[in-house]
Amino acid sequence: MIRSARRRSSYILAIATAMLLAMLAARVANGQQEHRLTVRDITSIEGVRENQLVGYGIVTGLRGTGDSQQTFFTVQTLANTLQRMGVQITPAVVTVKNVAAVFVTASLPPFSRPGMDLDVTVSSVGDAKSLSGGVLLLTALRAADGKVYAVAQGSLVLGGYTEGNSKNSKTVNHPTTGRISNGATVERDASIDLTKLPKLSFLLLNPDFTTARNVETSINKEFGKPVARAIDSRRVEVNVADTGDGSVPDLISRVQSMKIDVEEPAHVVVNERTGTIVMGGDVRLQPVSVIHGSLTIDVETTPIISQPAPFSNGTTTATTQTKLNVTDTPAQSIQLKAGASVEELIKGLHAIGATSHDIIAILQAIKAAGGLDANLEVI
């Protein structure tokens, strides 16, 4: 009896193992991999985000590398700045070359309070050659609503330089763009009051109905009651009052720490401008044959000058000689079996001499034929 029970349990274990392996094989065949990620990694909270700030100002202290007199708005800005300080000048007579007009940008993080410091990026607007050694004067930074949320000022730090004159010069990186670490100070409270939010909306970074359902199920299981509801493929709402948690930050931390099963489809990203191809390791192929050939036509035109014979009263004439070369290499082929990996595809394409642009065209053709188990994205 004991041996029979052991045999029966071993038989059941073998069947369960076989079923598990079959499920894993089916998942790999579908070109998808399941990951356990926290809600923090795959979602953001509606309303809790950065805001972009922008301002216009001037940089002074340049070593003759600022805007020229033809950049009229720089001269006008300098005249307006001096006028506010009690100095009256005529913009037409200004020839200062150590000043440059710039745009100043920064990101205002969520829950920003007055007195916080921000990093800013300064970029030239006119024809300045370099902002090296410059100092940004007090500049107001505004958001999309037109209100001032921060002010920036300070010395620039560049990641490049330019040296020499117009005939012999050397430029490294971008000397017309610089940064000021902690160069801006927040002046307006931009934070939101979490205690007044009746609902929290968690937005998926990559919309997917299955992932949204998994987030909803995990949250409801964590609280033991239906407090979450998936609205669509991107948004999952949590009713704050139903959770019974008195602290909204604690509630957010509790939800963001949950681990969710995420099924990510395989992706192939193609940049046709640069010929760059990025493929995930989980990309799989169906049985497919690829035939690749190359036809090259070269047209060569050579000018010829015809000289007349001595004392023939002829004229010199110019003609052209055209030569046509056609090269048609034999078509080469590769065959890939079901479940072939990216490495096998790349090896096969390199073996037949395909370039990166050829591979892009071949991938698009394979996708159109239904042989690529991945999302093909062309950027």
Side-chain angles (χ1 to χ4, degrees):
M1 293 294 292
I2 296 177
R3 290 182 178 178
S4 299
R6 289 180 177 176
R7 290 177 180 175
R8 189 179 302 109
S9 62
S10 299
Y11 180 73
I12 294 174
L13 180 61
I15 293 178
T17 303
M19 293 177 62
L20 179 60
L21 292 176
M23 292 174 61
L24 292 176
R27 186 176 299 279
V28 171
N30 289 332
Q32 292 184 338
Q33 287 186 344
E34 185 176 277
H35 307 276
R36 285 189 62 82
L37 301 175
T38 61
V39 176
R40 181 185 299 104
D41 296 329
I42 61 175
T43 64
S44 62
I45 302 175
E46 186 177 15
V48 181
R49 63 179 180 86
E50 292 185 343
N51 290 278
Q52 302 302 315
L53 305 179
V54 64
Y56 172 79
I58 59 174
V59 170
T60 61
L62 305 179
R63 193 177 58 181
T65 59
D67 294 335
S68 63
Q69 191 175 6
Q70 285 73 21
T71 310
F72 179 75
F73 53 83
T74 303
V75 178
Q76 187 65 54
T77 303
L78 178 60
N80 295 340
T81 302
L82 293 176
Q83 185 177 5
R84 289 195 298 268
M85 297 182 178
V87 180
Q88 299 292 335
I89 65 171
T90 302
V93 301
V94 176
T95 57
V96 180
K97 294 184 179 180
N98 62 346
V99 177
V102 294
F103 276 127
V104 184
T105 58
S107 295
L108 185 68
F111 308 109
S112 297
R113 302 284 183 176
M116 288 181 54
D117 293 332
L118 305 176
D119 294 341
V120 298
T121 301
V122 181
S123 56
S124 174
V125 181
D127 56 357
K129 298 180 178 61
S130 175
L131 300 179
S132 178
V135 176
L136 175 70
L137 298 187
L138 191 65
T139 303
L141 302 181
R142 304 173 186 271
D145 58 2
K147 297 180 180 179
V148 177
Y149 284 86
V151 292
Q153 182 172 277
S155 301
L156 276 69
V157 176
L158 275 64
Y161 66 89
T162 181
E163 294 292 342
N165 51 36
S166 58
K167 297 182 179 179
N168 188 10
S169 64
K170 180 178 181 180
T171 301
V172 177
N173 295 335
H174 297 278
T176 55
T177 300
R179 286 182 63 84
I180 306 176
S181 180
N182 296 330
T185 303
V186 177
E187 299 292 342
R188 184 187 295 269
D189 190 352
S191 62
I192 60 174
D193 190 357
L194 295 178
T195 60
K196 296 182 179 180
L197 296 178
K199 294 181 180 180
L200 289 174
S201 296
F202 292 87
L203 306 178
L204 295 179
L205 302 180
N206 296 316
D208 183 73
F209 283 103
T210 302
T211 304
R213 182 200 61 190
N214 292 341
V215 172
E216 173 192 356
T217 302
S218 299
I219 294 176
N220 292 334
K221 184 178 179 181
E222 173 71 17
F223 289 92
K225 49 186 176 181
V227 299
R229 183 168 65 99
I231 305 300
D232 48 39
S233 63
R234 182 181 290 275
R235 184 175 179 181
V236 179
E237 283 188 352
V238 177
N239 195 311
V240 177
D242 293 343
T243 61
D245 200 323
S247 174
V248 177
D250 290 344
L251 171 62
I252 296 175
S253 176
R254 185 176 176 182
V255 172
Q256 287 185 334
S257 299
M258 298 179 186
K259 290 190 174 182
I260 308 297
D261 293 332
V262 179
E263 293 183 359
E264 296 182 353
H267 281 280
V268 178
V269 181
V270 172
N271 189 329
E272 286 191 312
R273 295 184 299 274
T274 61
T276 303
I277 305 170
V278 179
M279 291 183 281
D282 52 348
V283 176
R284 292 294 182 268
L285 300 171
Q286 297 297 331
V288 64
S289 296
V290 179
I291 300 176
H292 177 69
S294 178
L295 175 64
T296 304
I297 301 177
D298 292 331
V299 180
E300 183 180 352
T301 300
T302 304
I304 299 177
I305 305 299
S306 177
Q307 294 285 356
F311 307 105
S312 63
N313 296 325
T315 59
T316 302
T317 58
T319 60
T320 58
Q321 181 180 4
T322 302
K323 184 178 180 181
L324 180 66
N325 295 322
V326 179
T327 303
D328 189 6
T329 59
Q332 303 183 59
S333 64
I334 60 172
Q335 291 185 350
L336 299 173
K337 299 180 180 179
S341 64
V342 176
E343 183 179 2
E344 294 172 342
L345 172 63
I346 297 300
K347 285 183 178 180
L349 294 177
H350 279 302
I352 64 176
T355 64
S356 59
H357 292 283
D358 293 334
I359 295 176
I360 291 175
I362 291 171
L363 285 174
Q364 291 176 332
I366 293 176
K367 180 64 176 180
L372 181 63
D373 291 334
N375 295 329
L376 182 62
E377 181 180 357
V378 180
I379 60 176

